[in-house]
Amino acid sequence: MDSMNTPEEMEVAIRERIQDEEMKIENVRPNANDTQAATIITTETAAQKLLEHTIKVGMVNCTLERRIDMERCYKCWAVGHTSKKCTGPDRSKMCQKCGEEGHKAKECRNAEKCPACKEEGHRAYSGRCRMFKRELQKARKKKKKRIQTKTEEKNRRETTWKAVI
């Protein structure tokens, strides 16, 4: 979605596709290349309708994708594992925005610096973090492989079933 679009414009565009299905737009946030991203919470039926094609929000055709939930560690601020399995450094007392101790992100006045990768310009769990991007790519590949495996299993079952007739 273009950085100039409003959540209201987004809702109108989505409603054109899913009509009266239950839907909630959450977490509208800045994204790469002067765009915005948002989380849409809806039913499985509505999600399938939305994923079929792009939607036009204002003058921009927007692609939608199913959100991949990443495991997050609130001890070391990394992704791909939880604090129960963490072997990394304890950063739990650090600010998620700047990586310093003594305050929380909502009180932070410092420049953003990711405590996980130590790079400036983004906070922990940001889409700009190279560590987060790498783990997200792994999760996407894993999900794609699961979908392919399920499709192959379904095709095998259908083939076997057809052969039985």
Side-chain angles (χ1 to χ4, degrees):
M1 181 167 66
D2 187 276
S3 64
M4 302 304 286
N5 291 120
T6 65
E8 292 78 21
E9 290 174 303
M10 187 173 170
E11 183 171 357
V12 168
I14 293 169
R15 287 276 171 224
E16 287 178 12
R17 179 79 50 82
I18 65 170
Q19 282 83 37
D20 296 328
E21 295 267 359
E22 187 178 323
M23 179 212 43
K24 183 178 179 182
I25 299 173
E26 285 188 347
N27 195 17
V28 178
R29 58 203 176 274
N31 202 13
N33 302 323
D34 206 27
T35 61
Q36 296 181 76
T39 301
I40 303 165
I41 299 174
T42 188
T43 63
E44 184 63 31
T45 306
Q48 291 300 330
K49 290 177 187 176
L50 289 170
L51 291 168
E52 287 174 3
H53 305 284
T54 61
I55 60 169
K56 191 164 187 162
V57 180
M59 300 298 290
V60 179
N61 284 320
C62 302
T63 56
L64 295 117
E65 60 184 40
R66 191 173 296 271
R67 183 180 177 137
I68 296 176
D69 290 323
M70 303 285 294
E71 285 186 324
R72 297 178 179 199
C73 179
Y74 292 100
K75 179 182 172 199
C76 72
W77 297 112
V79 292
H81 66 274
T82 60
S83 56
K84 279 185 177 181
K85 298 176 184 174
C86 184
T87 58
D90 187 354
R91 297 184 181 116
S92 59
K93 293 186 178 21
M94 291 181 166
C95 171
Q96 189 176 352
K97 180 182 172 194
C98 73
E100 293 183 12
E101 290 189 22
H103 60 275
K104 300 284 184 192
K106 65 182 174 183
E107 305 154 353
C108 185
R109 302 285 179 247
N110 300 327
E112 290 184 338
K113 183 177 179 183
C114 179
C117 74
K118 308 270 192 279
E119 290 182 14
E120 293 183 4
H122 65 273
R123 58 178 55 209
Y125 307 129
S126 166
R128 294 184 211 134
C129 179
R130 62 182 164 79
M131 291 175 68
F132 181 82
K133 286 179 184 178
R134 184 175 56 236
E135 291 299 323
L136 183 58
Q137 283 303 105
K138 285 182 190 176
R140 283 182 174 146
K141 285 180 183 177
K142 194 175 186 179
K143 183 178 181 178
K144 188 176 181 179
K145 189 174 184 179
R146 268 197 320 265
I147 290 169
Q148 287 173 341
T149 303
K150 285 181 182 180
T151 303
E152 289 168 2
E153 287 174 11
K154 181 181 173 190
N155 289 342
R156 263 197 307 272
R157 280 195 306 269
E158 288 174 359
T159 304
T160 305
W161 183 76
K162 288 176 186 172
V164 172
I165 292 177

